[in-house]
Amino acid sequence: MESSTFFNIFAGLLVFPALLLLQFAPLNVNAADADPLQDFCVADLTKDLYLNGYPCKTPAAVTTDDFVFDGLTAPPQTNNSVGASAILADVDTFAGLNSLGLSFAKLDFAKGGIIQPHTHPRASEIIYVVKGTLYAGFVTADNKLFARVISKGEVMIFPRGLIHFQLNVGDAPAQAVVALNSQSPGFQTISSALFGSNIKDEVLQKSFLILDQKTIDRLKAIFSGSK
């Protein structure tokens, strides 16, 4: 047997098992924010650049204040149609979070207040009840509900991208804090997405089956802010 033929057969015997391993090996996908490549990357919000994230400030221009955020100390504003407020510390309000893959929020509820069903398309969430009692839960992709009442000191997780909500079911105001594993988790309220985005009326009528035009117009007026 010629040496070249022997070499080709030998190489094939080595490559074939490797191809099998690649075919059946699990695909490793990064499903969260990318890891930072330096100690920090404080966002330079003044740069007119459109990136997946923000460019970094020059390290010499970074100060301790870039890593401190006092926005959560603002008094709650729950005198609104849903009886609740959310103050979010994400990269757009807290530049020090850039590239760190996390954000934080404070939720305040008047009696009966609700954080309406919504999603965070880029983050999972964990909630900690500071005071009060909340009925909280999420709905899976196959429409299974996981919900229960959670009280002071308890935590609950809402998986990434799933619809979830929190409702104050106690007899007094409630408060909670949440952490999310993205510097920019996104926030999309289901009702506003459907009725506040100028979707064609026929789509809404056929999706909800019983909505007449008057009801459609009423809901659009509420959730588009034109009420």
Side-chain angles (χ1 to χ4, degrees):
M1 182 182 295
E2 295 183 4
S3 60
S4 60
T5 303
F6 176 80
F7 177 79
N8 290 336
I9 294 174
F10 181 71
L13 291 173
L14 292 177
V15 171
F16 182 69
L19 291 175
L20 285 177
L21 288 174
L22 287 174
Q23 181 177 356
F24 295 105
L27 182 62
N28 185 19
V29 177
N30 183 7
D33 290 359
D35 290 334
L37 300 177
Q38 57 280 317
D39 287 343
F40 55 80
C41 173
V42 175
D44 187 344
L45 302 179
T46 65
K47 292 289 180 63
D48 188 19
L49 294 173
Y50 191 79
L51 302 170
N52 187 23
Y54 287 101
C56 307
K57 275 187 179 181
T58 302
V62 174
T63 69
T64 301
D65 287 342
D66 287 313
F67 303 102
V68 178
F69 180 73
D70 64 2
L72 300 182
T73 63
Q77 303 292 329
T78 59
N79 186 22
N80 53 50
S81 60
V82 295
S85 67
I87 300 176
L88 177 63
D90 65 358
V91 69
D92 291 318
T93 57
F94 187 8
L97 291 174
N98 195 40
S99 82
L100 298 184
L102 56 89
S103 54
F104 194 80
K106 182 182 72 158
L107 311 180
D108 286 284
F109 302 81
K111 183 179 177 181
I114 185 173
I115 300 294
Q116 298 165 295
H118 63 280
T119 69
H120 303 293
R122 295 180 291 276
S124 297
E125 173 184 333
I126 185 167
I127 185 171
Y128 171 80
V129 182
V130 177
K131 66 177 181 180
T133 305
L134 301 175
Y135 174 65
F138 63 89
V139 180
T140 65
D142 58 355
N143 294 326
K144 183 175 181 179
L145 174 67
F146 290 87
R148 56 160 284 186
V149 173
I150 54 176
S151 302
K152 179 180 178 180
E154 293 187 301
V155 300
M156 187 172 187
I157 294 171
F158 308 113
R160 175 180 175 175
L162 296 185
I163 297 172
H164 58 285
F165 57 86
Q166 299 94 22
L167 171 69
N168 183 5
V169 293
D171 295 325
Q175 186 179 79
V177 292
V178 303
L180 305 105
N181 66 332
S182 172
Q183 67 180 34
S184 182
F187 179 88
Q188 186 174 42
T189 303
I190 305 307
S191 52
S192 296
L194 291 172
F195 295 101
S197 60
N198 204 30
I199 293 177
K200 190 174 177 65
D201 290 353
E202 184 180 0
V203 174
L204 298 172
Q205 289 169 335
K206 290 185 175 180
S207 297
F208 292 94
L209 302 179
I210 60 173
L211 293 182
D212 55 45
Q213 188 61 50
K214 184 177 180 180
T215 303
I216 290 284
D217 293 341
R218 172 65 173 164
L219 290 171
K220 280 191 167 184
I222 293 172
F223 294 107
S224 66
S226 59
K227 179 182 177 183

